[in-house]
Amino acid sequence: MAEEHEVLTAEEAAALLRVSSKTLLSLARNGALPGEKVGRAWRFLKSDVLAYVRGDKDTKAREEQ
């Protein structure tokens, strides 16, 4: 699997951003960070998390709005 399509759990994404899981989920719920709920769990594309850090405006969530 290519790195840009790597799927992260909420805990992995939070660790990558060096924030708490609570902060990460708040960002996802508010639409600031693109993510998808799979059942009760959140999943994030690594490329979207890295784009969020860079401040890129062309992430998945922003394209859908």
Side-chain angles (χ1 to χ4, degrees):
M1 178 181 288
E3 184 173 318
E4 66 269 5
H5 297 296
E6 185 178 352
V7 177
L8 305 175
T9 65
E11 293 77 19
E12 292 168 335
L16 184 60
L17 291 176
R18 296 186 183 192
V19 298
S20 70
S21 293
K22 185 176 180 178
T23 298
L24 180 97
L25 294 176
S26 177
L27 290 169
R29 285 187 198 106
N30 293 332
L33 179 65
E36 294 291 327
K37 279 195 85 172
V38 179
R40 294 176 50 186
W42 282 88
R43 297 293 184 257
F44 302 88
L45 288 177
K46 185 174 185 179
S47 58
D48 286 343
V49 174
L50 295 175
Y52 175 79
V53 171
R54 288 190 304 266
D56 290 351
K57 302 295 183 199
D58 61 347
T59 59
K60 183 177 142 191
R62 296 194 195 322
E63 289 175 359
E64 293 177 353
Q65 293 179 353

